[in-house]
Amino acid sequence: MPGITREEVAHLARLARLELKGEELVHFAGQLDDIIGAVARVSEVADQDVPPTSHPLPLTNVMRADEVRPSLTPAQALSGAPAQEQQRFKVPQILGED
């Protein structure tokens, strides 16, 4: 497989609206060629018997089950509030909207 050329990197840079200097084009061409080679090696290893996965280890939800527990009543929650209205905390208006 032929390597990535300087011109191809320049084209990709134009598409991405990146301004690259000549030495950067050569540098990135080598790096992109290495990346494409690594991806090609991975695809050679993958076999039809191996299902695609999003994670190498099985994931388990570690959250506990929801349980109804006693909590504060609205009056208790609002007992320390400096101002309240209709069982809600009343705060100063910060936007010019009603």
Side-chain angles (χ1 to χ4, degrees):
M1 178 175 151
I4 300 295
T5 66
R6 182 180 187 275
E7 289 73 27
E8 289 171 322
V9 175
H11 177 68
L12 290 172
R14 274 191 303 278
L15 292 174
R17 300 190 193 289
L18 297 173
E19 185 176 339
L20 299 178
K21 296 180 176 92
E23 63 272 6
E24 292 175 315
L25 293 173
V26 173
H27 179 72
F28 289 136
Q31 286 186 338
L32 286 171
D33 202 34
D34 291 343
I35 292 169
I36 290 172
V39 170
R41 282 192 302 278
V42 168
S43 62
E44 289 172 5
V45 173
D47 194 18
Q48 298 297 333
D49 298 338
V50 180
T53 60
S54 63
H55 198 274
L57 302 173
L59 297 176
T60 306
N61 190 352
V62 295
M63 297 169 63
R64 65 174 169 76
D66 286 337
E67 297 175 7
V68 177
R69 295 182 180 180
S71 61
L72 298 176
T73 65
Q76 290 170 325
L78 294 168
S79 64
Q84 54 181 296
E85 184 177 289
Q86 297 177 350
Q87 291 189 340
R88 298 183 184 133
F89 293 100
K90 185 175 180 180
V91 296
Q93 183 175 349
I94 58 170
L95 301 175
E97 301 174 2
D98 288 325

